[in-house]
Amino acid sequence: FYPKLKTYHQWWYNKRDHDKDGLCEYGSTDGSLIAAKWESGMDNAIRFDNSEILKNGEGAYSINQESVDLNAYLYAEKLFLSELATILENKKEADDFKKEAKKLKLIIQSQFYDPIDGWFYDTTLDGKTFIKGEGSEGWTALWANAATQEQAKAVKNKMMNPKKFFTKVPFQTMSADHEKFNPLKGYWRGPNWLDQAYFGVKGLRNYGFDKEADKATIQILKGAEGVLGKGKSIRENYHPLTGEGLNAENFSWSAAHIIMLLQKD
């Protein structure tokens, strides 16, 4: 499987790095902007409201912004691939992936983090302008262990703010004090998806904020309607202020992340 995973990882740099600067963008194969947003998994997140599509090559398109979550995932992948290469006794590739990860980590810390806001944002393609609006992508660098301790502390403080992310069902997809926050009509503009909440909890644990992570885990499980007890199914997502279950029922990845929230390792 290692060669397949390595090829998949490299695909992002072949097909989704418009300016060839080592940072990837979400995109599409058909040139449509909506498919590029879908590729992120956060379909109508506010960070994509003003995005435009760019052609990289035949069947390869990028949106005109570099996303912090995508590059945090790629950072994590490099370390996983390095570990697999070590197991396979391929020292050169293991070392190469570690070097790539080290370089990418520094870029994530310097390009995507706004020290004034204390938050990680997407940026324009040139890396010079933050695409503002606090969303759950802001803690993916913590999940990937790509932030500094100081950066993680600042992000933690916003995550634990009841006016922003520490709601009845904490760590929803965007800050509750944003003008576009709308859990009932927003889909990725307010509801709590438990995978995003899990990334937040795991990110806190990665930086030693176990007290806050425990508090958030308990509040998620108690606040999300029907998670504890019987009679109601686990839902696709939840209203962060009321705890109401939203959209699809019997949602498997929500159930999976509840299990992950409860695991010690």
Side-chain angles (χ1 to χ4, degrees), residues 17-30:
D17 182 4
H18 182 78
D19 53 359
K20 300 300 178 185
D21 65 346
L23 292 174
C24 295
E25 310 91 29
Y26 291 117
S28 61
T29 57
D30 63 359

Side-chain angles (χ1 to χ4, degrees), residues 150-168:
E150 183 181 1
Q151 289 171 344
K153 183 178 180 180
V155 172
K156 180 264 295 182
N157 289 340
K158 286 206 168 186
M159 292 173 68
M160 300 304 294
N161 184 340
K163 294 182 179 179
K164 290 184 175 293
F165 289 100
F166 204 75
T167 54
K168 183 173 183 177

Side-chain angles (χ1 to χ4, degrees), residues 74-117:
L74 291 170
Y75 166 76
E77 282 186 10
K78 292 180 191 300
L79 295 180
F80 295 144
L81 286 165
S82 177
E83 187 175 350
L84 288 171
T86 299
I87 293 168
L88 294 169
E89 298 181 353
N90 188 332
K91 187 178 185 304
K92 182 183 183 307
E93 291 192 1
D95 290 344
D96 287 345
F97 278 122
K98 279 185 179 179
K99 289 176 184 176
E100 290 177 18
K102 184 177 180 180
K103 180 180 178 181
L104 180 55
K105 184 177 187 178
L106 293 175
I107 296 173
I108 290 171
Q109 293 172 0
S110 60
Q111 176 168 322
F112 296 111
Y113 182 74
D114 182 353
I116 297 174
D117 288 2

